[in-house]
Amino acid sequence: MLGDPRTVRVTGDATAALYRRTEDAHAEEHPGKHRDEPIAEAYCWSGLTSGNGSRALWLLLLPFMVVNLAHWMRPTAAGRTRAVRLYGVLVRLVALSLTVLLTAAACEVALDLVAWQCAGTPACSERRSWLGFLSSEQGGWWSQPGRRLALAASVPAALVTLLWYLSNRTWSAYESQRPLDDTDVAIGEDDPGADHSAPGPNAPRGPGAVRPALGRPGFWYGRRLVARLRAAHTAAGFLTVAACVNAAAARHDRTAGGPVPEVLGAAITAGIVLGALVAVRVVCRRGRSERIRDTRLDGALITYLPGSAVVLLALAVVHAAWSRPGWESSGSLPGDTAFRLLALGQAVLVVALASVAAGLYRRNPEPRTTLYGLGGPAVATLACGLGGVMSGGVAQRVADWLDGPGTPGMGRGAVIEGPPVLLSWQASVIPVLLLLLIVPVLHLVVRTARTARRLGPAVEAEYAPEPPDPARTRRIARTRATAELTDSAPGIVAVVSAATLLLGAAAVVGAWACGEVPGLAADGAGPLVESAAEAAQSTGSWLIGFGFILFVAGGRRAYRDPSARRTIGILWDVGTFWPRAAHPFAPPCYAERAVPDLASRMSAWTATTRGRLVISGHSQGSVLAASAVWQLPAATRRQVALLTYGSPIERLYGRWFPAYFGPVPLLGLHRSVHCWRNLWRATDPIGGPVRIATDQDPGVDRGPLKDPLAYGRTTRLPLPEPILGHSDYQADPAFAEERAALLAELGPLVPRQAEPDAQTRSGRSSG
């Protein structure tokens, strides 16, 4: 970024820091040497996204990250406070259901498949020597079903503990930086769900009167909400484990009798239900408060709610471990109904969320908003689908591994019942989903080829009068056509989410109606139907297991390979930009560290030197730069120029997150800073124009820039120039021109001796 191998860290730590060239390290102390050109600083935050190998493990948190994105995708909703609150509540409930789903999947594997089915079946336990001490044939202390369940409960309980630990640790490491203190307090309600992306009809006008949401003092400091959600989700996880352990023991006491009083199981069940209701109320009760920086903590809540759940889990374990000599395990645990109800509840929540989002969009329609305001519900559906694939993949693979040559649940050499029937039905619809995707994918391929052919004459005209080169023209036109595929992502998301919702509902209905896996359910329906059902089930089971193996293998490779880890870091750049407002176990928000870093540096530097400052950002750095400028006091914003290039700030963020990066917030940002320029290329699949030009204002965009810079060989560029696409904007002469123009537009230095020019550049480090 600095164009010099000799760099020095100016401020910051090993996680994120500002750097300068070594010769510029103390430029403020020698103003005479640095008055002819700006002093460049580079901000590197790669340690927050692709740092050490543990980042690869964050892939397992992908469903949590996706549902957290759905919270921020709501449409603009000025004046619709209740609807915004309801939208936030529904997303948080979907997020809570994902925690319960993944914990239930861990219980299915550890309690049902291993401890109940395999350890209780001699033909299965004999193949697994490590299960010998649990085998019912051994007759040892652990051979009773309740004690096997009590021991196996340690696995999902450890998973919940690990999620709690990671959430707490990552908050302390990455998100605990307090934002810049200033007195420019935003005007508006202190409402946990209020939309402040656009001023209301009675709001004061003028620069700095009303800040958009990203400029509010508490936006980048969500400690209280994250702590509350972490307590509720941790409690929900432990209560799920307690319910799985207690249900089997309580059912045996009710049906077969025994030495344990029935009232004990009923009391524990009542406590679990009460704890679940409290956790749901905590999730629904309070959202984000952004008008002020809320440094308070609900100490009693975050201590006693998870603590009570742990106590109930301990009581359930003791209750299950009570001696019941005549108890034998057979079949499978009654988890099928729980998975069906969970899937049905997620579908109801997603449909309700879509209804609220559609109502918000109708109130304030913005043409470029993704899926007419339904982007959030669509992404929430994908999060549920990812959670189902991960939970079903683990259960299916573990069941196949335990059963050896048999097929669990199919009666063909199978020795165990296998996972719940719903998981087999969900696996069966995966091939159907992939077949449905073939149509839009083929459409995009054909459309891209046609677009490339159509762009050929325009490319040659742009570089005229150079002689045409058909091969060169095809490459440039193909690159431009491929870059336009980014704008087709909403259509693919719509198809996948709609198909996931409908096929998931069909799977629930099929599992509930027949209670058998698809292959057995189709017996007697004709050889063709039976073969198709068996093929769909086996193919889906193979795909879901293979996909999960690839998922784990990718994480393992990223753990060992820094280059692969940087690739995953690009995913985190987008997915973890937003604070954890819906799911506390999502990967940490790096912007809660990076935005205060940049805002503090700009504010302190301008206050100390009174010099000119241009903050420039490439790609995700442009989003950070804009967010940091929003956090500055109004007077400081007027001293700052903004230069963005390859920026997704409107093309991606403005369309998917309209309440925060829509036309009104971006126009307000343009008017609040001294000046702003945005560079973009037609070959860039990520960056694009900002699109805020008006009749009175020409806007901030300059582009599309030529890419490549030369069509053929020239005297100045005798070798073929590469097609740069999203990279190397600084190599384009337009970058230096616009940076110089911004510095000139900022005006001369404030009359004060010993004050240098400065430039702060935000972006990802290449190292």
Side-chain angles (χ1 to χ4, degrees):
M1 291 174 62
L2 293 174
D4 194 322
R6 299 166 299 168
T7 61
V8 62
R9 186 167 62 193
V10 177
T11 181
D13 54 24
T15 302
L18 280 159
Y19 297 85
R20 283 186 181 181
R21 299 183 182 95
T22 303
E23 61 185 21
D24 297 337
H26 304 289
E28 288 82 357
E29 300 175 8
H30 306 284
K33 299 180 180 179
H34 304 277
R35 300 192 67 88
D36 297 331
E37 61 180 12
I39 304 302
E41 285 187 358
Y43 180 69
C44 172
W45 74 88
S46 60
L48 294 170
T49 53
S50 59
N52 57 37
S54 63
R55 302 296 192 279
L57 299 177
W58 291 357
L59 280 172
L60 301 176
L61 309 179
L62 188 60
F64 304 154
M65 182 187 76
V66 174
V67 76
N68 192 66
L69 289 177
H71 172 88
W72 302 104
M73 289 182 175
R74 64 169 176 79
T76 301
R80 298 293 302 276
T81 301
R82 292 184 178 179
V84 172
R85 285 178 173 174
L86 179 58
Y87 183 95
V89 168
L90 291 173
V91 175
R92 293 197 295 274
L93 288 176
V94 174
L96 183 65
S97 73
L98 286 176
T99 298
V100 175
L101 174 62
L102 266 69
T103 307
C107 292
E108 168 62 28
V109 170
L111 275 69
D112 187 14
L113 295 178
V114 176
W116 183 267
Q117 296 187 38
C118 190
T121 305
C124 180
S125 59
E126 288 176 357
R127 301 173 182 169
R128 312 295 172 191
S129 58
W130 52 274
L131 281 177
F133 74 104
L134 295 176
S135 174
S136 58
E137 292 294 302
Q138 298 292 333
W141 194 87
W142 291 105
S143 62
Q144 291 191 17
R147 292 171 180 171
R148 298 201 304 264
L149 294 178
L151 179 62
S154 61
V155 175
L159 173 64
V160 176
T161 303
L162 176 63
L163 292 174
W164 171 88
Y165 170 76
L166 289 176
S167 177
N168 186 63
R169 180 179 177 274
T170 52
W171 165 262
S172 301
Y174 305 121
E175 298 169 293
S176 59
Q177 303 298 315
R178 301 182 67 169
L180 181 68
D181 289 319
D182 68 81
T183 57
D184 186 17
V185 180
I187 300 172
E189 291 184 276
D190 182 15
D191 177 56
D195 177 27
H196 303 281
S197 59
N202 301 320
R205 302 293 175 177
V210 177
R211 285 189 180 184
L214 271 72
R216 296 173 67 79
F219 189 90
W220 300 109
Y221 194 73
R223 182 187 184 192
R224 187 180 187 188
L225 176 62
V226 173
R228 288 175 61 90
L229 291 179
R230 182 166 59 241
H233 282 247
T234 304
F238 284 131
L239 291 173
T240 301
V241 182
C244 293
V245 174
N246 185 69
R251 183 181 62 171
H252 175 268
D253 294 338
R254 287 193 305 269
T255 57
V260 184
E262 293 184 27
V263 67
L264 182 57
I268 296 175
T269 301
I272 292 172
V273 172
L274 179 61
L277 293 175
V278 172
V280 171
R281 184 179 184 278
V282 169
V283 168
C284 297
R285 178 67 179 85
R286 181 184 294 276
R288 286 174 56 84
S289 180
E290 297 166 358
R291 193 180 76 88
I292 60 173
R293 187 178 308 122
D294 196 347
T295 59
R296 296 170 295 172
L297 280 180
D298 304 296
L301 173 69
I302 63 179
T303 300
Y304 292 119
L305 181 57
S308 301
V310 171
V311 170
L312 285 170
L313 174 58
L315 291 175
V317 167
V318 172
H319 174 243
W322 205 298
S323 179
R324 297 173 176 85
W327 190 10
E328 296 181 358
S329 60
S330 61
S332 61
L333 291 177
D336 224 338
T337 302
F339 279 100
R340 294 170 190 169
L341 292 175
L342 195 55
L344 183 62
Q346 287 180 337
V348 171
L349 289 173
V350 167
V351 171
L353 185 66
S355 177
V356 174
L360 291 175
Y361 179 80
R362 285 194 299 269
R363 179 70 176 268
N364 295 283
E366 292 177 354
R368 286 185 57 78
T369 298
T370 299
L371 301 179
Y372 304 100
L374 297 180
V379 169
T381 303
L382 294 182
C384 296
L386 282 172
V389 167
M390 292 179 64
S391 58
V394 172
Q396 293 277 353
R397 290 306 96 203
V398 171
D400 287 342
W401 173 62
L402 292 174
D403 215 4
T407 303
M410 293 295 291
R412 299 168 185 170
V415 296
I416 61 175
E417 290 289 328
V421 172
L422 176 61
L423 298 183
S424 297
W425 278 86
Q426 289 176 336
S428 300
V429 302
I430 290 179
V432 181
L433 177 61
L434 295 179
L435 289 175
L436 291 176
L437 279 177
I438 292 177
V439 176
V441 169
L442 288 177
H443 170 72
L444 290 178
V445 171
V446 173
R447 193 185 71 178
T448 301
R450 290 178 176 177
T451 302
R453 286 196 298 268
R454 189 181 68 250
L455 289 175
V459 170
E460 293 178 351
E462 180 181 338
Y463 289 97
E466 296 191 45
D469 181 349
R472 180 73 158 169
T473 298
R474 282 195 301 271
R475 283 195 295 270
I476 298 174
R478 191 184 304 117
T479 303
R480 292 184 181 181
T482 305
E484 295 179 4
L485 288 176
T486 302
D487 300 320
S488 303
I492 297 295
V493 171
V495 171
V496 174
S497 60
T500 299
L501 183 62
L502 295 177
L503 292 175
V508 172
V509 172
W512 218 314
C514 65
E516 294 180 331
V517 297
L520 295 179
D523 284 345
L528 183 62
V529 176
E530 182 178 351
S531 299
E534 291 185 3
Q537 179 187 344
S538 59
T539 303
S541 177
W542 181 85
L543 286 174
I544 199 172
F546 183 69
F548 186 79
I549 291 173
L550 286 180
F551 196 74
V552 175
R556 184 174 179 271
R557 179 173 178 267
Y559 184 83
R560 296 184 174 185
D561 186 359
S563 62
R565 191 157 63 244
R566 282 193 294 270
T567 302
I568 294 176
I570 296 173
L571 173 65
W572 298 142
D573 273 353
V574 179
T576 61
F577 168 78
W578 296 98
R580 294 187 274 194
H583 207 300
F585 297 155
C589 167
Y590 66 88
E592 291 202 11
R593 162 70 189 271
V595 171
D597 280 358
L598 289 169
S600 300
R601 177 58 174 171
M602 288 190 289
S603 183
W605 194 89
T606 53
T608 303
T609 68
R610 299 172 61 196
R612 297 175 294 174
L613 189 147
V614 173
I615 178 168
S616 69
H618 172 247
S619 191
Q620 189 68 14
S622 66
V623 183
L624 283 180
S627 303
V629 170
W630 264 318
Q631 283 285 315
L632 295 175
T636 305
R637 288 200 298 272
R638 303 304 301 174
Q639 299 174 250
V640 174
L642 180 60
L643 176 59
T644 55
Y645 43 102
S647 173
I649 199 168
E650 193 282 334
R651 189 179 188 183
L652 297 180
Y653 283 82
R655 297 187 65 192
W656 290 93
F657 310 98
Y660 304 94
F661 287 96
V664 174
L666 291 182
L667 183 60
L669 176 64
H670 173 42
R671 292 174 175 174
S672 66
V673 296
H674 192 284
C675 40
W676 180 10
R677 297 289 185 276
N678 178 66
L679 310 179
W680 64 283
R681 298 181 180 129
T683 55
D684 190 340
I686 297 176
V690 177
R691 305 175 189 271
I692 56 174
T694 63
D695 294 337
Q696 298 78 24
D697 192 331
V700 303
D701 293 319
R702 176 174 174 179
L705 304 179
K706 274 193 173 183
D707 185 32
L709 292 175
Y711 182 78
R713 300 175 186 268
T714 66
T715 303
R716 189 173 66 88
L717 301 170
L719 299 181
E721 285 295 295
I723 302 174
L724 298 176
H726 186 59
S727 61
D728 289 337
Y729 272 84
Q730 296 178 8
D732 196 301
F735 179 86
E737 294 171 7
E738 291 299 336
R739 186 181 68 175
L742 289 176
L743 286 167
E745 193 171 343
L746 280 171
L749 288 173
V750 177
R752 177 178 175 181
Q753 299 299 319
E755 300 301 340
D757 295 353
Q759 178 195 41
T760 300
R761 183 175 303 135
S762 165
R764 288 200 68 225
S765 171
S766 60

